[in-house]
Amino acid sequence: MREVNLAAVDLNLLPALDALLQRRNVSRAAADVGLSQPAMSRALARLRDVLGDPLLVRGAGGFALTPRALRLVPKVVVALEEIRGVYRDPQFDPRHAKAVLRVACSDFQTVLIAPALMARLAQEAPGVDVRMEAYSRDVARRIDSGALDLAFATSTTPLPPGAQSQVIGNHELALVMRRRHPAARRAWTIGDYAKFDHVAIALTGDGQSELDAGLARAGVRRRIALVTPHFMAAVATVAKTDLVTTIARSFASRFAADFDLVLKRPPLEAKTFEMTLVWSHVRSSDPLLAW
């Protein structure tokens, strides 16, 4: 079989080949692709040389296709359509999308976002499934490799090179304790953070956070008695002990009545935080992620 050097092939010949195969006439093929008749004749000569076949031969009623040319007709149609698809702007329709989205998140996002998210997907993108996965120390690598599509973070989280993010919400912090906590009935000062033990949320680290940095600037250091990656564990623990925790009010308020909790405005410099979504720049043009 004769091998063709694709690097030496002029792909501009494909439209001419398609027109010649469809029209079986040099003049009409030339008109179809906007070439002069001499230019189309030269294109036919080049195609004959590249393919090693005359393609069009004179017959009693005009030109006829050779057996090789007849076999090429469907192949050229498909090849041109594939090439056009490379340059065509894809029209994304979520109703027909089939995909699995893998998202790194905690129970914070699972509780607050998953119910509404899945209800909307059921209506607008029923073929899209979601896998909410735990954080790990290699979350940046997982995003970069494509093992994760998205990850939730805060706006102060350092991003790896090439990562992109978008703010999706602003959350108010709340100081959370049980209703019968010894300090539940009075206003808190920043010094009270050193008087009571705390539950801290740590998704991958040791529980130290921007909150501790702010306390340090005020000369206050808190004792973290429990570190957990689960917000529900923090809420359940403070409900049964004299420990306190500082988490998003949007989460704690969901369970305040059930766990008999008190939510206070914390005496901190930063009383809010921004939630962001993070993804790799490699996926920036992915229409599903954009949607």
Side-chain angles (χ1 to χ4, degrees), residues 94-141:
R95 294 171 300 175
H96 300 117
K98 299 290 184 183
V100 176
L101 281 178
R102 290 178 169 81
V103 186
C105 63
S106 68
D107 57 338
F108 177 96
Q109 290 86 20
T110 303
V111 169
L112 293 186
I113 296 174
L117 171 64
M118 299 314 296
R120 181 173 176 185
L121 287 178
Q123 293 296 319
E124 300 181 28
V128 176
D129 299 327
V130 179
R131 301 291 181 265
M132 291 186 161
E133 301 184 7
Y135 288 96
S136 61
R137 293 185 183 276
D138 65 344
V139 65
R141 181 196 60 77

Side-chain angles (χ1 to χ4, degrees), residues 209-225:
S209 64
E210 291 87 358
L211 187 156
D212 294 281
L215 292 175
R217 287 191 291 272
V220 175
R221 182 174 181 177
R222 64 174 178 164
R223 177 176 179 259
I224 300 175

Side-chain angles (χ1 to χ4, degrees), residues 92 94 97 99-103 128-130 143 146 148-151 164 166 168 277-291:
F92 176 74
V100 176
L101 281 178
R102 290 178 169 81
V103 186
V128 176
D129 299 327
V130 179
I143 292 176
L148 284 174
D149 300 296
L150 298 165
Q164 299 184 353
Q166 177 176 324
I168 60 169
L277 267 180
V278 180
W279 64 94
S280 169
H281 70 286
V282 177
R283 303 290 303 282
S284 291
S285 59
D286 187 324
L288 175 60
L289 291 194
W291 179 78

Side-chain angles (χ1 to χ4, degrees), residues 65-99:
L65 298 182
T66 67
R68 171 79 184 281
L70 285 170
R71 292 194 300 271
L72 285 175
V73 172
K75 294 181 179 180
V76 172
V77 171
V78 171
L80 277 173
E81 185 59 27
E82 290 293 329
I83 292 173
R84 292 188 185 104
V86 171
Y87 297 98
R88 186 183 297 126
D89 183 24
Q91 297 299 311
F92 176 74
D93 185 349
R95 294 171 300 175
H96 300 117
K98 299 290 184 183

Side-chain angles (χ1 to χ4, degrees), residues 180-258:
R180 295 187 179 183
H181 190 279
R185 293 176 176 242
R186 62 177 175 81
W188 270 53
T189 66
I190 197 166
D192 287 321
Y193 267 80
K195 297 178 182 178
F196 297 95
D197 294 344
H198 294 254
V199 180
I201 308 296
L203 301 180
T204 59
D206 59 1
Q208 296 294 311
S209 64
E210 291 87 358
L211 187 156
D212 294 281
L215 292 175
R217 287 191 291 272
V220 175
R221 182 174 181 177
R222 64 174 178 164
R223 177 176 179 259
I224 300 175
L226 172 65
V227 176
T228 174
H230 306 296
F231 287 78
M232 277 302 302
V235 168
T237 300
V238 300
K240 296 295 184 180
T241 67
D242 285 341
L243 276 69
V244 299
T245 191
T246 304
I247 59 175
R249 180 177 293 272
S250 55
F251 185 91
S253 61
R254 294 285 186 98
F255 307 99
D258 291 337

